[in-house]
mmCIF file with all atom_site columns, all heavy atoms in Angstrom:
data_model
loop_
_atom_site.group_PDB
_atom_site.id
_atom_site.type_symbol
_atom_site.label_atom_id
_atom_site.label_alt_id
_atom_site.label_comp_id
_atom_site.label_asym_id
_atom_site.label_entity_id
_atom_site.label_seq_id
_atom_site.pdbx_PDB_ins_code
_atom_site.Cartn_x
_atom_site.Cartn_y
_atom_site.Cartn_z
_atom_site.occupancy
_atom_site.B_iso_or_equiv
_atom_site.pdbx_formal_charge
_atom_site.auth_seq_id
_atom_site.auth_comp_id
_atom_site.auth_asym_id
_atom_site.auth_atom_id
_atom_site.pdbx_PDB_model_num
ATOM 1   N N   . ASP G 1 105 ? -21.781 0.090  -4.788 1.00 98.00 ? 105 ASP G N   1
ATOM 2   C CA  . ASP G 1 105 ? -21.587 -0.511 -3.462 1.00 98.00 ? 105 ASP G CA  1
ATOM 3   C C   . ASP G 1 105 ? -20.533 -1.619 -3.503 1.00 98.00 ? 105 ASP G C   1
ATOM 4   O O   . ASP G 1 105 ? -19.774 -1.796 -2.560 1.00 98.00 ? 105 ASP G O   1
ATOM 5   C CB  . ASP G 1 105 ? -22.916 -1.086 -2.944 1.00 98.00 ? 105 ASP G CB  1
ATOM 6   C CG  . ASP G 1 105 ? -23.897 0.015  -2.563 1.00 98.00 ? 105 ASP G CG  1
ATOM 7   O OD1 . ASP G 1 105 ? -23.466 1.059  -2.054 1.00 98.00 ? 105 ASP G OD1 1
ATOM 8   O OD2 . ASP G 1 105 ? -25.107 -0.175 -2.771 1.00 98.00 ? 105 ASP G OD2 1
ATOM 9   N N   . ILE G 1 106 ? -20.501 -2.345 -4.615 1.00 98.00 ? 106 ILE G N   1
ATOM 10  C CA  . ILE G 1 106 ? -19.521 -3.448 -4.740 1.00 98.00 ? 106 ILE G CA  1
ATOM 11  C C   . ILE G 1 106 ? -18.095 -2.886 -4.785 1.00 98.00 ? 106 ILE G C   1
ATOM 12  O O   . ILE G 1 106 ? -17.181 -3.408 -4.147 1.00 98.00 ? 106 ILE G O   1
ATOM 13  C CB  . ILE G 1 106 ? -19.783 -4.259 -6.041 1.00 98.00 ? 106 ILE G CB  1
ATOM 14  C CG1 . ILE G 1 106 ? -21.217 -4.789 -6.071 1.00 98.00 ? 106 ILE G CG1 1
ATOM 15  C CG2 . ILE G 1 106 ? -18.759 -5.375 -6.217 1.00 98.00 ? 106 ILE G CG2 1
ATOM 16  C CD1 . ILE G 1 106 ? -21.525 -5.927 -5.159 1.00 98.00 ? 106 ILE G CD1 1
ATOM 17  N N   . ILE G 1 107 ? -17.924 -1.802 -5.533 1.00 98.00 ? 107 ILE G N   1
ATOM 18  C CA  . ILE G 1 107 ? -16.596 -1.176 -5.603 1.00 98.00 ? 107 ILE G CA  1
ATOM 19  C C   . ILE G 1 107 ? -16.217 -0.624 -4.224 1.00 98.00 ? 107 ILE G C   1
ATOM 20  O O   . ILE G 1 107 ? -15.078 -0.771 -3.768 1.00 98.00 ? 107 ILE G O   1
ATOM 21  C CB  . ILE G 1 107 ? -16.574 -0.060 -6.677 1.00 98.00 ? 107 ILE G CB  1
ATOM 22  C CG1 . ILE G 1 107 ? -16.756 -0.673 -8.066 1.00 98.00 ? 107 ILE G CG1 1
ATOM 23  C CG2 . ILE G 1 107 ? -15.286 0.768  -6.600 1.00 98.00 ? 107 ILE G CG2 1
ATOM 24  C CD1 . ILE G 1 107 ? -16.898 0.339  -9.200 1.00 98.00 ? 107 ILE G CD1 1
ATOM 25  N N   . VAL G 1 108 ? -17.178 -0.015 -3.576 1.00 98.00 ? 108 VAL G N   1
ATOM 26  C CA  . VAL G 1 108 ? -16.931 0.520  -2.228 1.00 98.00 ? 108 VAL G CA  1
ATOM 27  C C   . VAL G 1 108 ? -16.441 -0.610 -1.310 1.00 98.00 ? 108 VAL G C   1
ATOM 28  O O   . VAL G 1 108 ? -15.459 -0.472 -0.584 1.00 98.00 ? 108 VAL G O   1
ATOM 29  C CB  . VAL G 1 108 ? -18.211 1.190  -1.664 1.00 98.00 ? 108 VAL G CB  1
ATOM 30  C CG1 . VAL G 1 108 ? -18.077 1.497  -0.178 1.00 98.00 ? 108 VAL G CG1 1
ATOM 31  C CG2 . VAL G 1 108 ? -18.536 2.459  -2.457 1.00 98.00 ? 108 VAL G CG2 1
ATOM 32  N N   . ASN G 1 109 ? -17.105 -1.737 -1.382 1.00 98.00 ? 109 ASN G N   1
ATOM 33  C CA  . ASN G 1 109 ? -16.721 -2.882 -0.552 1.00 98.00 ? 109 ASN G CA  1
ATOM 34  C C   . ASN G 1 109 ? -15.275 -3.336 -0.838 1.00 98.00 ? 109 ASN G C   1
ATOM 35  O O   . ASN G 1 109 ? -14.494 -3.605 0.079  1.00 98.00 ? 109 ASN G O   1
ATOM 36  C CB  . ASN G 1 109 ? -17.704 -4.034 -0.793 1.00 98.00 ? 109 ASN G CB  1
ATOM 37  C CG  . ASN G 1 109 ? -17.290 -5.319 -0.095 1.00 98.00 ? 109 ASN G CG  1
ATOM 38  O OD1 . ASN G 1 109 ? -16.951 -6.299 -0.745 1.00 98.00 ? 109 ASN G OD1 1
ATOM 39  N ND2 . ASN G 1 109 ? -17.289 -5.334 1.221  1.00 98.00 ? 109 ASN G ND2 1
ATOM 40  N N   . LYS G 1 110 ? -14.922 -3.381 -2.125 1.00 98.00 ? 110 LYS G N   1
ATOM 41  C CA  . LYS G 1 110 ? -13.549 -3.797 -2.476 1.00 98.00 ? 110 LYS G CA  1
ATOM 42  C C   . LYS G 1 110 ? -12.535 -2.809 -1.918 1.00 98.00 ? 110 LYS G C   1
ATOM 43  O O   . LYS G 1 110 ? -11.463 -3.177 -1.438 1.00 98.00 ? 110 LYS G O   1
ATOM 44  C CB  . LYS G 1 110 ? -13.385 -3.850 -4.004 1.00 98.00 ? 110 LYS G CB  1
ATOM 45  C CG  . LYS G 1 110 ? -14.091 -5.002 -4.677 1.00 98.00 ? 110 LYS G CG  1
ATOM 46  C CD  . LYS G 1 110 ? -13.649 -4.984 -6.126 1.00 98.00 ? 110 LYS G CD  1
ATOM 47  C CE  . LYS G 1 110 ? -14.409 -5.950 -6.989 1.00 98.00 ? 110 LYS G CE  1
ATOM 48  N NZ  . LYS G 1 110 ? -13.967 -5.881 -8.391 1.00 98.00 ? 110 LYS G NZ  1
ATOM 49  N N   . LYS G 1 111 ? -12.862 -1.530 -1.999 1.00 98.00 ? 111 LYS G N   1
ATOM 50  C CA  . LYS G 1 111 ? -11.939 -0.495 -1.508 1.00 98.00 ? 111 LYS G CA  1
ATOM 51  C C   . LYS G 1 111 ? -11.816 -0.548 0.015  1.00 98.00 ? 111 LYS G C   1
ATOM 52  O O   . LYS G 1 111 ? -10.730 -0.360 0.560  1.00 98.00 ? 111 LYS G O   1
ATOM 53  C CB  . LYS G 1 111 ? -12.422 0.892  -1.962 1.00 98.00 ? 111 LYS G CB  1
ATOM 54  C CG  . LYS G 1 111 ? -12.307 1.091  -3.465 1.00 98.00 ? 111 LYS G CG  1
ATOM 55  C CD  . LYS G 1 111 ? -12.678 2.506  -3.876 1.00 98.00 ? 111 LYS G CD  1
ATOM 56  C CE  . LYS G 1 111 ? -12.385 2.688  -5.372 1.00 98.00 ? 111 LYS G CE  1
ATOM 57  N NZ  . LYS G 1 111 ? -12.447 4.092  -5.787 1.00 98.00 ? 111 LYS G NZ  1
ATOM 58  N N   . VAL G 1 112 ? -12.939 -0.786 0.671  1.00 98.00 ? 112 VAL G N   1
ATOM 59  C CA  . VAL G 1 112 ? -12.921 -0.880 2.143  1.00 98.00 ? 112 VAL G CA  1
ATOM 60  C C   . VAL G 1 112 ? -11.977 -2.011 2.555  1.00 98.00 ? 112 VAL G C   1
ATOM 61  O O   . VAL G 1 112 ? -11.121 -1.858 3.430  1.00 98.00 ? 112 VAL G O   1
ATOM 62  C CB  . VAL G 1 112 ? -14.356 -1.132 2.678  1.00 98.00 ? 112 VAL G CB  1
ATOM 63  C CG1 . VAL G 1 112 ? -14.336 -1.576 4.136  1.00 98.00 ? 112 VAL G CG1 1
ATOM 64  C CG2 . VAL G 1 112 ? -15.209 0.126  2.506  1.00 98.00 ? 112 VAL G CG2 1
ATOM 65  N N   . LYS G 1 113 ? -12.109 -3.164 1.895  1.00 98.00 ? 113 LYS G N   1
ATOM 66  C CA  . LYS G 1 113 ? -11.280 -4.314 2.261  1.00 98.00 ? 113 LYS G CA  1
ATOM 67  C C   . LYS G 1 113 ? -9.804  -4.049 1.971  1.00 98.00 ? 113 LYS G C   1
ATOM 68  O O   . LYS G 1 113 ? -8.929  -4.444 2.741  1.00 98.00 ? 113 LYS G O   1
ATOM 69  C CB  . LYS G 1 113 ? -11.779 -5.574 1.549  1.00 98.00 ? 113 LYS G CB  1
ATOM 70  C CG  . LYS G 1 113 ? -13.086 -6.070 2.191  1.00 98.00 ? 113 LYS G CG  1
ATOM 71  C CD  . LYS G 1 113 ? -13.509 -7.432 1.726  1.00 98.00 ? 113 LYS G CD  1
ATOM 72  C CE  . LYS G 1 113 ? -14.109 -7.394 0.361  1.00 98.00 ? 113 LYS G CE  1
ATOM 73  N NZ  . LYS G 1 113 ? -14.913 -8.586 0.039  1.00 98.00 ? 113 LYS G NZ  1
ATOM 74  N N   . LYS G 1 114 ? -9.561  -3.349 0.863  1.00 98.00 ? 114 LYS G N   1
ATOM 75  C CA  . LYS G 1 114 ? -8.155  -3.054 0.521  1.00 98.00 ? 114 LYS G CA  1
ATOM 76  C C   . LYS G 1 114 ? -7.549  -2.084 1.531  1.00 98.00 ? 114 LYS G C   1
ATOM 77  O O   . LYS G 1 114 ? -6.406  -2.262 1.981  1.00 98.00 ? 114 LYS G O   1
ATOM 78  C CB  . LYS G 1 114 ? -8.075  -2.493 -0.908 1.00 98.00 ? 114 LYS G CB  1
ATOM 79  C CG  . LYS G 1 114 ? -6.684  -2.339 -1.461 1.00 98.00 ? 114 LYS G CG  1
ATOM 80  C CD  . LYS G 1 114 ? -5.834  -3.596 -1.374 1.00 98.00 ? 114 LYS G CD  1
ATOM 81  C CE  . LYS G 1 114 ? -6.292  -4.702 -2.323 1.00 98.00 ? 114 LYS G CE  1
ATOM 82  N NZ  . LYS G 1 114 ? -5.421  -5.902 -2.227 1.00 98.00 ? 114 LYS G NZ  1
ATOM 83  N N   . ALA G 1 115 ? -8.297  -1.073 1.913  1.00 98.00 ? 115 ALA G N   1
ATOM 84  C CA  . ALA G 1 115 ? -7.778  -0.110 2.902  1.00 98.00 ? 115 ALA G CA  1
ATOM 85  C C   . ALA G 1 115 ? -7.442  -0.841 4.203  1.00 98.00 ? 115 ALA G C   1
ATOM 86  O O   . ALA G 1 115 ? -6.348  -0.684 4.761  1.00 98.00 ? 115 ALA G O   1
ATOM 87  C CB  . ALA G 1 115 ? -8.820  0.981  3.161  1.00 98.00 ? 115 ALA G CB  1
ATOM 88  N N   . LEU G 1 116 ? -8.362  -1.685 4.662  1.00 98.00 ? 116 LEU G N   1
ATOM 89  C CA  . LEU G 1 116 ? -8.159  -2.379 5.939  1.00 98.00 ? 116 LEU G CA  1
ATOM 90  C C   . LEU G 1 116 ? -6.970  -3.334 5.876  1.00 98.00 ? 116 LEU G C   1
ATOM 91  O O   . LEU G 1 116 ? -6.227  -3.483 6.842  1.00 98.00 ? 116 LEU G O   1
ATOM 92  C CB  . LEU G 1 116 ? -9.442  -3.121 6.331  1.00 98.00 ? 116 LEU G CB  1
ATOM 93  C CG  . LEU G 1 116 ? -10.567 -2.180 6.793  1.00 98.00 ? 116 LEU G CG  1
ATOM 94  C CD1 . LEU G 1 116 ? -11.922 -2.887 6.749  1.00 98.00 ? 116 LEU G CD1 1
ATOM 95  C CD2 . LEU G 1 116 ? -10.284 -1.634 8.193  1.00 98.00 ? 116 LEU G CD2 1
ATOM 96  N N   . GLU G 1 117 ? -6.793  -3.945 4.699  1.00 98.00 ? 117 GLU G N   1
ATOM 97  C CA  . GLU G 1 117 ? -5.640  -4.842 4.517  1.00 98.00 ? 117 GLU G CA  1
ATOM 98  C C   . GLU G 1 117 ? -4.331  -4.095 4.786  1.00 98.00 ? 117 GLU G C   1
ATOM 99  O O   . GLU G 1 117 ? -3.361  -4.663 5.269  1.00 98.00 ? 117 GLU G O   1
ATOM 100 C CB  . GLU G 1 117 ? -5.670  -5.377 3.074  1.00 98.00 ? 117 GLU G CB  1
ATOM 101 C CG  . GLU G 1 117 ? -4.619  -6.397 2.735  1.00 98.00 ? 117 GLU G CG  1
ATOM 102 C CD  . GLU G 1 117 ? -4.673  -6.773 1.243  1.00 98.00 ? 117 GLU G CD  1
ATOM 103 O OE1 . GLU G 1 117 ? -5.794  -6.811 0.656  1.00 98.00 ? 117 GLU G OE1 1
ATOM 104 O OE2 . GLU G 1 117 ? -3.601  -7.003 0.665  1.00 98.00 ? 117 GLU G OE2 1
ATOM 105 N N   . TYR G 1 118 ? -4.329  -2.800 4.484  1.00 98.00 ? 118 TYR G N   1
ATOM 106 C CA  . TYR G 1 118 ? -3.120  -1.995 4.687  1.00 98.00 ? 118 TYR G CA  1
ATOM 107 C C   . TYR G 1 118 ? -3.195  -1.151 5.965  1.00 98.00 ? 118 TYR G C   1
ATOM 108 O O   . TYR G 1 118 ? -2.486  -0.164 6.095  1.00 98.00 ? 118 TYR G O   1
ATOM 109 C CB  . TYR G 1 118 ? -2.851  -1.126 3.449  1.00 98.00 ? 118 TYR G CB  1
ATOM 110 C CG  . TYR G 1 118 ? -2.268  -1.949 2.335  1.00 98.00 ? 118 TYR G CG  1
ATOM 111 C CD1 . TYR G 1 118 ? -3.088  -2.579 1.403  1.00 98.00 ? 118 TYR G CD1 1
ATOM 112 C CD2 . TYR G 1 118 ? -0.896  -2.147 2.244  1.00 98.00 ? 118 TYR G CD2 1
ATOM 113 C CE1 . TYR G 1 118 ? -2.560  -3.373 0.395  1.00 98.00 ? 118 TYR G CE1 1
ATOM 114 C CE2 . TYR G 1 118 ? -0.350  -2.930 1.247  1.00 98.00 ? 118 TYR G CE2 1
ATOM 115 C CZ  . TYR G 1 118 ? -1.190  -3.545 0.329  1.00 98.00 ? 118 TYR G CZ  1
ATOM 116 O OH  . TYR G 1 118 ? -0.644  -4.336 -0.656 1.00 98.00 ? 118 TYR G OH  1
#
Side-chain angles (χ1 to χ4, degrees):
D105 289 324
I106 304 286
I107 294 174
V108 168
N109 173 247
K110 288 188 188 179
K111 292 185 173 192
V112 166
K113 286 191 284 198
K114 189 52 70 179
L116 288 162
E117 184 185 325
Y118 284 90

